[in-house]
Amino acid sequence: AQTVTQSQPEMSVQEAETVTLSCTYDTSESDYYLFWYKQPPSRQMILVIRQEAYKQQNATENRFSVNFQKAAKSFSLKISDSQLGDAAMYFCAYRIRGETSGSRLTFGEGTQLTVNP
Amino acid sequence: NAGVTQTPKFQVLKTGQSMTLQCAQDMNHEYMSWYRQDPGMGLRLIHYSVGAGITDQGEVPNGYNVSRSTTEDFPLRLLSAAPSQTSVYFCASRRTFRSSYEQYFGPGTRLTVT
């Protein structure tokens, strides 16, 4: 079974600085997707960034970038120039590509990010 | 497009009561699913559907039923509520279950069972 682990229950960062959230996963599959979701106090789940495992290039979306290390099964999220609006719970998630048995997202436990002014 | 909508936003039930959480999407997505979110455990899949008339169990299906009579709607039924079902419930949909497309989540329903 696939598992996703976020070892940092809480993180904090000063506004305008950079923070990295860690995620590791365990799978025997070679073709899959990895995601970071943001959940602000409103509870809405918002996709931040997506990485296809077959792509060697790390995904980037504006101030958000990932460090994808396939061999190490590591998928960290870097937030640059942190803003107050980045404060939220962040979830790392995994999904097998082309799975026929439900294509479920497997989520980590979450990391609560606080941004200090 | 309204996206994925869920009703109600909040609900309190007594142990043994039954109820239905509603979920609808207007994006013509084939794939819909229900997750529950508990503190320290992320989101876990309850049931999913790959199209009208087709449903299957996820990771934590016990105590819940689903049906998918139309593409748009995917209700989740609690048969006999238990305190262990106190959670936040999310409905989600995606264009197809094989694609890399983004999964869209509803705003969630916070359920308390006393």
Side-chain angles (χ1 to χ4, degrees):
Chain A
Q2 292 79 26
T3 59
V4 177
T5 302
Q6 295 177 248
S7 58
Q8 307 153 315
E10 297 176 348
M11 292 282 285
S12 64
V13 63
Q14 291 296 125
E15 196 175 3
E17 303 213 329
T18 296
V19 64
T20 299
L21 308 184
S22 300
C23 173
T24 59
Y25 58 97
D26 187 23
T27 183
S28 58
E29 302 291 332
S30 61
D31 200 4
Y32 50 86
Y33 303 108
L34 294 163
F35 307 87
W36 279 98
Y37 280 89
K38 171 185 177 180
Q39 187 181 43
S42 66
R43 284 204 312 249
Q44 185 68 49
M45 295 290 286
I46 302 164
L47 179 65
V48 174
I49 199 164
R50 169 178 53 217
Q51 174 80 43
E52 288 92 341
Y54 64 86
K55 290 186 178 179
Q56 293 187 336
Q57 187 172 5
N58 289 325
T60 300
E61 289 286 344
N62 301 314
R63 298 182 295 108
F64 298 87
S65 61
V66 299
N67 184 4
F68 173 48
Q69 302 288 328
K70 190 172 185 179
K73 296 179 182 172
S74 170
F75 183 61
S76 61
L77 174 70
K78 185 170 83 171
I79 306 174
S80 304
D81 186 25
S82 296
Q83 300 176 358
L84 294 177
D86 295 334
M89 180 73 85
Y90 286 81
F91 290 99
C92 178
Y94 160 100
R95 177 165 68 86
I96 295 174
R97 184 181 184 195
E99 181 185 357
T100 58
S101 60
S103 197
R104 74 185 64 181
L105 280 169
T106 300
F107 285 86
E109 306 90 338
T111 297
Q112 183 67 52
L113 178 66
T114 301
V115 181
N116 300 310
Chain B
N1 285 350
V4 180
T5 58
Q6 290 182 237
T7 56
K9 285 189 169 50
F10 301 93
Q11 182 70 49
V12 179
L13 289 179
K14 293 188 188 310
T15 297
Q17 287 184 318
S18 62
M19 79 158 295
T20 299
L21 307 185
Q22 300 293 343
C23 173
Q25 51 89 12
D26 60 358
M27 298 173 281
N28 203 30
H29 285 174
E30 296 175 1
Y31 180 82
M32 297 185 72
S33 53
W34 277 100
Y35 291 83
R36 59 176 288 171
Q37 181 180 17
D38 301 296
M41 300 185 72
L43 280 72
R44 293 179 292 166
L45 183 66
I46 304 171
H47 284 286
Y48 66 94
S49 168
V50 300
I54 307 169
T55 64
D56 207 343
Q57 297 181 351
E59 186 182 355
V60 287
N62 292 341
Y64 308 95
N65 272 358
V66 292
S67 60
R68 183 98 178 268
S69 56
T70 67
T71 300
E72 294 78 20
D73 300 299
F74 190 44
L76 178 72
R77 296 183 188 83
L78 280 70
L79 309 173
S80 177
S84 61
Q85 293 178 305
T86 293
S87 189
V88 179
Y89 291 85
F90 288 94
C91 180
S93 74
R94 190 167 69 244
R95 190 176 297 184
T96 70
F97 69 96
R98 291 181 184 270
S99 74
S100 66
Y101 290 109
E102 178 180 353
Q103 185 147 258
Y104 292 83
F105 284 85
T109 295
R110 181 176 293 278
L111 175 68
T112 303
V113 183
T114 61

